[in-house]
Structure formats: C-alpha cells, structure tokens
Amino acid sequence: MSEPLVIIGNGMAAARLVEELAKRALGRYAIAVIGDEPRLAYNRVLLSSVLAGEATSQEIELRSAAWWRDRGVTVTYGCAADAVDLAARHVHLASGLTVPFSKLVFATGSIPLRLAVPGSDLPGVHTFRDSCDVDQLLALGKAKNRVVVIGGGLLGLEAAYGLAKAGAKVTLLHLMESLMERQLDAPAAVLLKRLVEDKGIEILLGANTRQIVGDGKVGGVELADGRVIAADAVVFAAGIRPNVMLAKEAGVPVNRGIVVDDQICTSVENVFALGECAEHRGTCYGLVEPAYEQAKVLATHLAGSATEYSGSIVATNLKVSGVSVFSAGDFLAAEGETLVFNDERRGTYKKLVITDDRLTGAVLVGDTTDALWYLDLIRTAVPIEAIRGDMMFGRDLTQLKAA
C-alpha cells in the first residue's frame, strides 16, 4: 500500500513538491494536499498581474484539477488545518475531519505584516497577499478610490502598480530612503523610483506612518512628521513573516521559521517543512526559487536517495510595477570591484560585481535580457577574465566576440 503523505499548504511550494515526487516516487505515497484558500494552487507572483488586468485569475492557476487527479493526489482546498497531533499522526481540519499521515510536510507559506499603529483595524485597511485580497483591491481601483500603499519593497510596488492600473489614485509610503533596499543598490533604486513615478504613482520616501485616521472608516494616513495623506483605503504591503503557528502548537521546533536541516527535515521524525515557512541554517528566504530548490531536495530524500540542500543564492528577477528588475548575489560589493552602465534617458542600469575573477553580484533595471546568464555565472563561479571586457554588453555579444 502507498504510504500516506500529507502536505499542509496548497501553494507554489506544495505544487512543486508534488511535481518532483511524481518524477521520483510515483505511487510510493498516497498524497493529500490541504489548503485554506478556496481554489487550486496558483502563481502568487502573478497576483499583481491579475490586479493590473494583465492576466485573469484562471490564467495564473498552476495546475488543473485533472493534473492533480492523474497523479493520485487528493486536494482539499477551502478548508484550513486546525491542529496537528504528532502522537496520533493526524491532521485535524476546520471541517471536523481528521487526515492520517505517515509523513507530514508543512508548506504553510507566510502571512502579511500589519503595522501596529492606531487605526490599523479600521474598515478599509487591507493586505496584499492572496487572491481574496486581490478581489478587494480590484474593487478599490474600479471605484477610483484614493489608496495609500504602505511599503516600498516588492509587495508594495506590485500593489501600487496594480491598483493604479485598475483605476485608483495611489500614493506609496516607504519608511526607508530608497525603494527595494534589500534587492537594489542606491542608483538602481533612484532609477526605479523615477520609472514608477512616470506611471502616475506618487512615492514618499522616509515616510514613517504614525496612525491611520478616520471616523469609522479610513480617511487618511498621518505620518510622524505631522503630514496627513488623504485616502479612502490603505494597503499594508510592508513585508511577510513565516506562517509557523500550526507547527509551533504541534511541538515542532520553530525560530523565525520552522527549523529544517540539509534534507529539509525538522527534528521531528518524518516531519518536514519547505518554502517560506521554513528556516534553513538561520535563513528564511521568502522567495519562490529557494522553495523550488528545497522541493527538489525533499522529493529526492523522500524517494530514498541521498541529497543535501546547502542554501540558495538569493535572486530577484521580476517585473516590478511594470519595470524589469533583477538582482542576485553580493550586489552591494562589500568586497571586489564593480562595473557600472547607467543610461538614465533609456531607463537602463547595470551593475556587475567581480571578486577574485568571478562574478559575485549583479543588479539590472530596465533591461534584464541577460539576467539568467548572469545568475548562472554567479552560481557556477566560473572564471570570467576572458569575457570581462564584454560581459556588460550581454551574452550574445560576448559569445560572438569569443567565436
């Protein structure tokens, strides 16, 4: 008989794990996937495209119901897991049902942060994290509301862009002095700010939110310097934190995330965690690519083969507010030297960091055509002396001159 394997979470990490298991251990496990969102797994990265009207909710679905069924997977969605009984090896659902397991995987993802400021519980204060959030934000855009988005990282910029395209008048507030400070250096952030403002989004940097003001509903956002930004709605998009409560209550060791080793195992036998809820060697990645890498390692381990996950090179390669952005590796260049190309008129910025004849970091804004090539050079750490003079101008030119 197939061994019962339960995955709590029906997001991108869970879908990739099932895909990898189907390649390596088809039929070995009777897989049950449990998700609290009322739909099949979808590409969360593309939620902003749905908000912006560039894709439909159906188009971002990762796999059809038939795909899951053909792989023998039972999917329960729209029903949260309430508790895990490790002694009895059962997952208790909000519906009252229990699901037995031999092996258990936490793929519970992250939850959005809400600033602990007065007024954060007023009607009209939203988050931007799942498809239900998108439905609410679409209504704000169609009503031409004034919306303040709090957070100038990836989530905030995506929310602002989508809302603006949907029809809202958007002001974005960011506590720091530059946008996406974790993914971009200062010149890249300056260029991104200009390109986003060109799309009709007002951006205020160094903006510290004191409170959400309003009488029974949102009326605006008051900043620490006394300014009040008028608003009909507020969107918190200032970050995420690992969703670990279910694991913690079950007795699985948790720091910031659910602690896993190089096989993606927790310290509890036959219990695993991957994706945004997992913490590996002190790091919670909060990105899709590391989750996919972890899924491959875990599927290999569950198939009975030796494997290790040594961590991921953090990379961002997305359209942010309609602007192509890429960063990877040590792009701040604490050590090494930098090559920079900056064409402000065309909205293009490139920075490459070289250490010991290896590419160790890169930042691209505007033109990200060669992003995956640069990422491969960083990951493989191959010597680049032979292409050093040409690599700034892209893979095609570099290979043409080498030929």
Side-chain angles (χ1 to χ4, degrees), residues 21-214:
L21 281 170
K23 296 176 185 176
R24 294 167 173 79
L26 187 62
R28 178 167 178 169
Y29 296 100
I31 302 173
V33 175
I34 300 166
D36 58 357
E37 287 195 63
R39 59 174 299 182
L40 292 170
Y42 58 89
N43 188 335
R44 196 179 302 276
V45 176
L46 296 178
L47 281 175
S48 58
S49 297
V50 177
L51 183 57
E54 298 167 352
T56 66
S57 182
Q58 291 72 32
E59 287 172 342
I60 69 170
E61 194 172 274
L62 289 172
R63 300 293 184 183
S64 67
W67 182 90
W68 296 92
R69 185 174 58 250
D70 290 347
R71 284 150 185 80
V73 180
T74 301
V75 180
T76 300
Y77 53 88
C79 184
D82 269 356
V84 173
D85 188 330
L86 293 176
R89 315 298 277 182
H90 282 100
V91 177
H92 297 269
L93 306 185
S95 63
L97 297 175
T98 60
V99 182
F101 65 86
S102 174
K103 289 182 168 60
L104 176 67
V105 180
F106 287 96
T108 47
S110 295
I111 55 179
L113 294 175
R114 279 180 173 262
L115 296 186
V117 296
S120 61
D121 56 349
L122 282 172
V125 178
H126 305 269
T127 57
F128 178 55
R129 185 61 184 162
D130 59 29
S131 57
C132 293
D133 293 334
V134 169
D135 291 340
Q136 295 179 27
L137 299 187
L138 276 170
L140 296 178
K142 291 176 182 177
K144 309 295 183 182
N145 281 320
R146 300 167 301 174
V147 182
V148 168
V149 176
I150 299 175
L154 176 60
L155 279 176
L157 286 163
E158 290 290 79
Y161 174 67
L163 281 161
K165 285 210 67 177
K169 181 181 178 181
V170 181
T171 299
L172 184 143
L173 309 179
H174 191 43
L175 177 63
M176 309 304 288
E177 295 297 335
S178 63
L179 297 174
M180 291 185 69
E181 69 278 357
R182 293 182 180 180
Q183 292 86 17
L184 300 178
D185 64 357
V190 169
L191 175 59
L192 178 62
K193 180 176 182 289
R194 178 174 69 79
L195 295 175
V196 173
E197 288 175 329
D198 287 346
K199 298 178 184 298
I201 298 169
E202 181 184 20
I203 297 175
L204 302 179
L205 299 176
N208 187 3
T209 300
R210 174 180 290 164
Q211 64 177 327
I212 314 299
V213 297

Side-chain angles (χ1 to χ4, degrees), residues 5 25 35 47 49 57 151 158 161 181 199 205 224-226 246 249 252 270 291 318 343 349 354 373 394 398 402:
L5 185 153
L47 281 175
S49 297
S57 182
E158 290 290 79
Y161 174 67
E181 69 278 357
K199 298 178 184 298
L205 299 176
D225 61 11
L246 191 65
E249 291 176 346
V252 179
N270 291 322
L318 298 166
D343 187 338
Y349 175 83
I354 299 170
W373 179 53
T398 300

Side-chain angles (χ1 to χ4, degrees), residues 168-392:
K169 181 181 178 181
V170 181
T171 299
L172 184 143
L173 309 179
H174 191 43
L175 177 63
M176 309 304 288
E177 295 297 335
S178 63
L179 297 174
M180 291 185 69
E181 69 278 357
R182 293 182 180 180
Q183 292 86 17
L184 300 178
D185 64 357
V190 169
L191 175 59
L192 178 62
K193 180 176 182 289
R194 178 174 69 79
L195 295 175
V196 173
E197 288 175 329
D198 287 346
K199 298 178 184 298
I201 298 169
E202 181 184 20
I203 297 175
L204 302 179
L205 299 176
N208 187 3
T209 300
R210 174 180 290 164
Q211 64 177 327
I212 314 299
V213 297
D215 184 12
K217 64 178 182 178
V218 171
V221 176
E222 181 183 344
L223 303 181
D225 61 11
R227 286 179 293 171
V228 176
I229 312 301
D232 304 303
V234 172
V235 179
F236 283 132
I240 56 177
R241 59 184 172 88
N243 185 5
V244 301
M245 189 55 65
L246 191 65
K248 185 176 182 180
E249 291 176 346
V252 179
V254 168
N255 288 331
R256 182 165 178 263
I258 304 169
V259 180
V260 298
D261 62 16
D262 291 354
Q263 283 72 46
I264 318 300
C265 306
T266 72
S267 61
V268 179
E269 186 177 6
N270 291 322
V271 176
F272 314 88
L274 81 161
E276 293 177 349
C277 68
E279 178 180 326
H280 174 262
R281 298 187 185 180
T283 298
C284 299
Y285 287 98
L287 297 167
V288 174
E289 196 59 35
Y292 285 174
E293 293 172 0
Q294 292 168 7
K296 185 175 182 178
V297 170
L298 180 53
T300 303
H301 175 74
L302 290 171
S305 299
T307 184
E308 283 192 358
Y309 174 68
S310 58
S312 297
I313 293 176
V314 177
T316 298
N317 187 19
L318 298 166
K319 270 192 177 295
V320 179
S321 295
V323 180
S324 295
V325 171
F326 169 80
S327 69
D330 180 20
F331 59 85
L332 293 178
E335 297 182 1
E337 55 184 309
T338 61
L339 306 177
V340 176
F341 174 85
N342 193 358
D343 187 338
E344 293 187 8
R345 186 173 66 84
R346 294 188 177 182
T348 300
Y349 175 83
K350 295 184 179 183
K351 174 183 176 181
L352 303 179
V353 180
I354 299 170
T355 307
D356 296 330
D357 193 30
R358 267 68 172 173
L359 184 65
T360 54
V363 176
L364 311 175
V365 176
D367 179 7
T368 59
T369 304
D370 295 295
L372 295 182
W373 179 53
Y374 291 134
L375 181 57
D376 186 57
L377 290 175
I378 293 170
R379 284 177 169 163
T380 57
V382 296
I384 51 87
E385 185 59 35
I387 62 172
R388 179 191 179 91
D390 302 310
M391 60 190 297
M392 176 64 75

